[in-house]
């Protein structure tokens, strides 16, 4: 009896002698719900296989038990096949359905096996094959109501607990998928969608959970319920594709692009390790000369090395100078720590150099104290400003300029023709290799800062190059009369790969999916809402979901560098408000 499902009707009359009053039911809701596991096996050659196991508990088991008694096994097999034909045309039964009934646990299980001859859908316009997987057991419980408004309560089925796990097993190795997580928890229901990929087993897992939390929706809460349901529209299916070139991937990026990026990272890491080895070897062959005062380096080499190492050479430069100070003063200072945290040690180094100059020459050849304070503050805040404004290279150069007066004194005190200066100013093979390795990265930074390549920050329309504007016009994204207000490209190199922005008349987003340029646009009159998900870390992207009045939507990606995402979204909302 404990396993029989009992609905909660509030109060009930117990059928036994001497009982005259209604009592609270207080059901314990013994295990109930529907738990589904779908498994697809995708072969490199041949049809795909599909097996599904459904376990029903409680009232759902009782419903299936009654269905079997009324319709019979063959009819159930036919109904299930027709159900899946709507999702996968041409599906065939591979084995007869197996039904298992366990009355003691009030559990009813079904096992189905199918063959999918036409698993992939050909998309010649996109030069690829596609297939979608659906949370078809969960989706009926979160479908959008027909009514736009209600004056009466909306009944909900309660309690409900639905879980559906879809596993796709791949035979080939050329697959890669990003992990995803979505959760919606409100007073009406709980919903979760989780995507993960196990590279060792080559298995993509899609997990969907739905649990009802109420048996009705009040009229005053109806709009909140509809909004909650609308959040799930893009969470109930998942698509994969296989291009004609036989590369595969998810909607974000293919395996080959990930492999290429990883390869470049490994190569660069190996080369930098090699540079460290070369540096140590040179230091062993050419030890520091005893008559060297501080660490003299020519201004040209100092500037180049500082820029091309993105400030890492500055750590070494400060370390060497404070190491000299420790040896001269026989103090307990930590040169390495001061090198690493050099942003806070500019003024102390200036002070030591000033003292050295006064002791040697009777006067200071360094900038005066007031100017040194300005230089120290500039040195401290320049990297932060570079990151915040999106112009890191410009502020990196400004950082070097603040150091040059100190470096110039080191050349002066050693003498231009001294062996120490000549040795420290030499360009060796490792320096040339470092420049070669750094040039591509510096090229990306410069190209982004000056509009030749995609910038890593939001830009005004006036900053977009004529070449990129003409590209967007040729692709139908912009009209010749459009004036772009703000724009951001999430591409690594070229604006033609990705773009997000808005004009005086519409909002647009476009991106490359393989060789195909996808695009989404909406005029302000067609927009119902803007849903913003603010980024939480510096350099991340804020997302804006543009919801159209017909229920469809698309996403804008906006960099938060310099707080420009707030400017972008504020201006967009003002334009939308003016129309509405």
């Amino acid at each position: 009896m404990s396993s029989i499902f009992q609905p909660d009707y509030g109060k009930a009359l117990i059928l036994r002698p001497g009982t005259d009053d209604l009592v609270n039911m207080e059901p314990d809701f013994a295990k109930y719900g529907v738990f589904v596991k779908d498994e697809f096996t995708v072969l490199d050659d041949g049809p795909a296989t599909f097996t599904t196991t459904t376990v029903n508990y409680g009232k759902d088991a009782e419903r299936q038990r009654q269905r079997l008694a009324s319709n019979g096994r063959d009819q159930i097999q036919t109904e299930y096949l027709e159900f899946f034909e709507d999702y996968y045309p041409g599906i065939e039964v591979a084995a007869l359905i197996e039904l298992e009934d366990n009355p003691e646990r009030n559990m009813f299980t079904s096992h189905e096996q199918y063959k999918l001859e036409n698993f992939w859908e050909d998309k010649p316009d996109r030069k690829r094959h596609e297939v979608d997987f659906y949370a078809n057991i969960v989706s009926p419980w979160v479908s959008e109501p027909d009514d736009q408004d209600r004056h009466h309560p909306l009944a909900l089925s309660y309690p409900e607990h639905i879980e559906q796990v879809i596993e796709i097993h791949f035979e080939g190795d050329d697959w890669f998928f990003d992990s995803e997580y979505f959760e919606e928890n409100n007073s009406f229901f709980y919903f979760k969608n989780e995507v993960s990929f196990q590279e060792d087993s080559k298995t993509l897992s899609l997990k969907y959970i739905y649990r009802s939390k109420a048996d009705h929706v009040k009229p005053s809460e109806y709009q909140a319920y509809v909004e909650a349901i609308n959040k799930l529209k893009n969470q109930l299916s998942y698509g994969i594709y296989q291009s004609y070139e036989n590369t595969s991937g998810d909607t974000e990026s293919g395996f080959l692009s990930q492999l290429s990026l990883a390869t470049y990272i490994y190569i660069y890491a190996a080369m930098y390790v090699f540079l460290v080895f070369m540096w140590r070897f040179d230091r062993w062959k050419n030890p520091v000369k005893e008559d060297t005062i501080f660490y003299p380096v020519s201004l040209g080499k100092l500037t180049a090395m500082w820029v091309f190492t993105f400030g890492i050479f500055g750590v070494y430069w400060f370390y060497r100078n404070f190491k000299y100070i420790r040896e001269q003063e026989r103090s307990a200072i930590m040169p390495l720590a001061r090198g690493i945290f050099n942003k806070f040690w500019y003024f102390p180094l200036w002070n030591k150099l000033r003292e050295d100059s006064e002791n040697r020459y009777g006067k200071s050849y360094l900038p005066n104290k007031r100017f040194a304070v300005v230089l120290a503050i500039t040195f401290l805040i320049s990297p932060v400003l570079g990151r915040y404004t999106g112009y890191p290279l410009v502020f990196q150069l400004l950082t070097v300029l603040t150091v040059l007066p100190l470096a110039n004194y080191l050349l002066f005190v050693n003498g231009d023709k001294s062996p120490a200066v000549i040795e420290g100013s030499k360009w060796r093979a490792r320096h040339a290799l470092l420049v070669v390795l750094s040039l591509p990265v510096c090229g990306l930074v410069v190209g982004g800062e000056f509009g030749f390549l995609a910038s890593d920050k939001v830009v005004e329309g006036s900053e977009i190059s004529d070449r990129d504007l003409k590209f967007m016009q040729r692709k139908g994204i912009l009209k010749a009369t459009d004036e772009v207000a703000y724009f951001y490209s999430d591409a690594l190199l070229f604006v033609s790969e990705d773009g997000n922005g808005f004009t005086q008349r519409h909002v647009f987003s476009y991106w490359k999916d393989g060789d195909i340029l996808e695009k989404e646009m909406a005029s302000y009159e067609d927009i119902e809402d803007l849903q913003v998900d603010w980024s939480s870390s510096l350099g991340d992207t804020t997302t804006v979901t543009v919801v159209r009045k017909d229920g469809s939507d698309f996403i804008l990606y906006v960099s938060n560098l310099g707080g420009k995402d707030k400017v972008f979204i504020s201006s967009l909302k003002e334009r939308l408000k003016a129309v509405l």
Side-chain angles (χ1 to χ4, degrees):
M1 290 290 290
S2 62
S3 63
I4 297 177
F5 178 80
Q6 176 61 62
D8 185 5
Y9 294 120
K11 292 182 179 295
L13 178 66
I14 299 178
L15 299 178
R16 68 184 177 194
T19 302
D20 299 323
D21 297 326
L22 297 175
V23 298
N24 293 327
M25 296 187 66
E26 299 181 355
D28 60 4
F29 289 141
K31 189 168 184 178
Y32 67 96
V34 180
F35 302 83
V36 178
K37 184 175 183 180
D38 296 334
E39 292 188 81
F40 295 83
T41 301
V42 182
L43 305 177
D44 289 340
D45 187 21
T49 61
F50 167 42
T51 63
T52 177
T53 300
T54 304
V55 182
N56 301 271
Y57 289 94
K59 63 182 178 64
D60 299 289
E62 295 163 11
R63 186 182 298 120
Q64 293 300 322
R65 198 173 290 122
Q66 181 181 14
R67 185 179 183 186
L68 176 61
S70 301
N71 300 336
R73 183 186 303 267
D74 292 343
Q75 180 62 27
I76 291 178
Q77 174 83 81
T78 301
E79 291 175 357
Y80 284 178
L81 177 62
E82 292 175 349
F83 172 78
F84 287 119
E85 281 179 338
D86 290 338
Y87 297 97
Y88 306 104
I91 187 172
E92 299 177 8
V93 175
L96 293 177
I97 188 172
E98 298 177 14
L99 303 175
E100 300 175 12
D101 189 7
N102 187 336
E104 293 183 0
R105 298 180 60 190
N106 202 10
M107 181 175 72
F108 192 94
T109 306
S110 64
H111 303 276
E112 306 162 61
Q113 298 182 47
Y114 299 95
K115 182 171 66 172
L116 303 172
E117 287 284 357
N118 302 316
F119 180 68
W120 297 99
E121 182 180 358
D122 189 17
K123 295 288 186 180
D125 57 328
R126 299 184 178 183
K127 298 181 181 180
R128 68 190 192 188
H129 303 282
E130 300 178 355
V131 65
D132 292 308
F133 303 95
Y134 303 92
N136 43 35
I137 306 301
V138 175
S139 56
W141 303 101
V142 290
S143 58
E144 184 178 2
D146 296 330
D147 299 330
Q148 294 296 318
D149 196 9
R150 285 184 71 91
H151 302 287
H152 304 286
L154 174 67
L156 300 178
S157 183
Y158 173 83
E160 296 292 348
H161 183 184
I162 314 294
E163 292 192 18
Q164 183 174 1
V165 176
I166 303 174
E167 291 187 350
I168 303 98
H169 307 282
F170 299 96
E171 182 182 38
D173 295 322
D174 54 343
W175 293 91
F176 179 86
F177 301 90
D178 291 328
S179 296
E180 298 179 17
Y181 185 88
F182 174 85
E183 187 177 52
E184 171 64 22
N185 192 10
N186 52 60
S187 59
F188 315 111
F189 62 84
Y190 171 81
F191 174 87
K192 183 173 78 170
N193 173 23
E194 191 171 5
V195 178
S196 61
F197 182 67
Q198 293 75 42
E199 292 190 57
D200 53 347
S201 61
K202 295 177 286 189
T203 300
L204 172 65
S205 297
L206 316 174
K207 186 174 183 179
Y208 303 90
I209 297 177
Y210 169 83
R211 287 196 296 268
S212 61
K213 299 169 67 174
D215 60 2
H216 72 284
V217 177
K218 298 177 182 178
S220 60
E221 300 174 333
Y222 182 72
Q223 290 302 322
Y225 175 74
V226 172
E227 290 176 5
I229 290 293
N230 285 335
K231 293 180 182 178
L232 313 185
K233 283 184 177 180
N234 296 325
Q235 303 297 328
L236 298 170
S237 64
Y238 191 90
I240 66 174
Y241 65 84
Q242 188 174 50
S243 69
Y244 287 170
E245 291 77 14
N246 203 32
T247 58
S248 309
D250 63 2
T251 55
E252 294 295 326
S253 58
F255 173 78
L256 291 180
S257 63
Q258 296 291 328
L259 179 62
S260 298
L261 179 60
T263 301
Y264 285 127
I265 291 174
Y266 286 132
I267 292 175
Y268 264 70
M271 295 303 294
Y272 276 108
V273 170
F274 181 63
L275 282 172
V276 172
F277 172 78
M278 294 177 67
W279 165 66
R280 293 305 302 168
F281 182 75
D282 279 344
R283 292 285 288 114
W284 172 72
K285 285 187 61 179
N286 303 286
V288 178
K289 300 184 183 302
E290 293 183 0
D291 59 346
T292 301
I293 305 172
F294 293 100
Y295 178 52
V297 181
S298 69
L299 301 185
K301 180 181 176 182
L302 174 66
T303 302
M305 291 294 292
W306 200 299
V307 171
F308 284 114
T309 62
F310 304 97
I312 296 177
F313 184 76
V315 174
Y316 182 69
W317 188 81
F318 269 85
Y319 158 74
R320 286 289 303 273
N321 284 303
F322 275 109
K323 183 182 179 183
Y324 174 83
I325 293 171
R326 183 184 67 177
E327 292 172 351
Q328 294 299 309
E329 298 180 350
R330 296 185 179 181
S331 64
I333 66 173
M334 301 173 65
L336 181 59
R338 296 193 179 192
I340 294 173
F341 300 102
N342 59 68
K343 299 305 172 190
F344 305 100
W345 290 97
Y346 181 97
F347 190 80
L349 180 58
W350 167 86
N351 197 41
K352 290 293 183 181
L353 297 181
R354 178 189 59 79
E355 292 176 359
D356 181 85
S357 179
E358 291 177 349
N359 290 335
R360 290 179 187 274
Y361 307 110
K363 64 177 181 177
S364 173
Y365 284 96
L366 277 298
N368 61 48
K369 185 175 182 179
R370 185 173 298 176
F371 189 35
V373 170
V374 174
L375 291 175
I377 294 174
T378 304
F379 183 79
L380 174 65
I381 66 174
S382 287
V384 178
L385 292 175
R387 183 62 177 164
Y388 186 76
T389 61
Y391 292 99
L393 196 59
V394 172
F395 284 92
Q396 190 72 260
L397 288 170
L398 182 60
T399 300
V400 180
L401 290 177
T402 64
V403 175
L404 293 185
L406 308 187
N408 188 58
Y409 173 74
L410 303 186
L411 296 175
F412 170 74
V413 74
N414 280 275
D416 292 341
K417 303 298 183 180
S418 69
V421 171
I422 294 173
E423 182 67 26
S425 302
K426 281 182 179 178
W427 279 88
R428 302 183 183 277
R430 69 174 185 270
H431 301 134
L433 180 57
L434 177 64
V435 171
V436 171
L437 287 174
S438 303
L439 276 176
V441 180
C442 290
L444 289 176
V445 175
V446 173
E449 290 184 5
F450 294 97
F452 306 119
L453 298 173
S455 175
D456 58 355
K457 66 181 185 302
V458 172
V459 299
E460 295 183 10
S462 58
E463 298 179 62
I464 304 174
S465 69
D466 290 339
R467 180 190 69 253
D468 292 328
L469 287 174
K470 290 177 180 177
F471 164 80
M472 287 184 264
Q473 291 171 3
R474 288 196 303 268
K475 297 300 180 180
I477 299 166
L478 298 179
K479 293 182 178 180
T481 56
D482 284 337
E483 296 181 1
V484 179
Y486 288 99
F487 177 82
Y488 171 68
S489 175
D490 200 33
L492 177 63
L493 292 176
F494 303 111
V495 169
S496 59
E497 300 287 328
D498 180 276
N500 308 264
F502 60 94
T503 69
Q504 77 281 7
R505 68 176 181 88
H506 78 314
V507 182
F508 62 87
S509 176
Y510 64 88
W511 64 97
K512 274 286 188 69
D513 195 351
D515 293 330
I516 306 301
L517 183 72
E518 305 281 2
K519 57 185 178 182
E520 291 277 3
M521 294 177 287
S523 63
Y524 295 115
E525 292 79 4
D526 294 333
I527 297 176
E528 178 71 26
D529 189 24
L530 298 174
Q531 299 171 357
V532 182
D533 183 11
W534 297 101
S535 60
S536 57
S537 57
L538 185 64
D540 201 356
T541 53
T542 292
T543 60
V544 184
T545 302
V546 181
V547 182
R548 299 186 183 93
K549 292 180 180 178
D550 63 4
S552 62
D553 59 58
F554 63 94
I555 297 177
L556 303 177
Y557 294 91
V558 188
S559 170
N560 69 357
L561 284 178
K564 290 292 188 68
D565 55 339
K566 294 181 175 60
V567 176
F568 182 105
I569 294 167
S570 175
S571 179
L572 176 57
K573 286 184 174 181
E574 288 179 3
R575 290 177 181 263
L576 180 61
K577 184 178 179 181
V579 173
L580 299 180

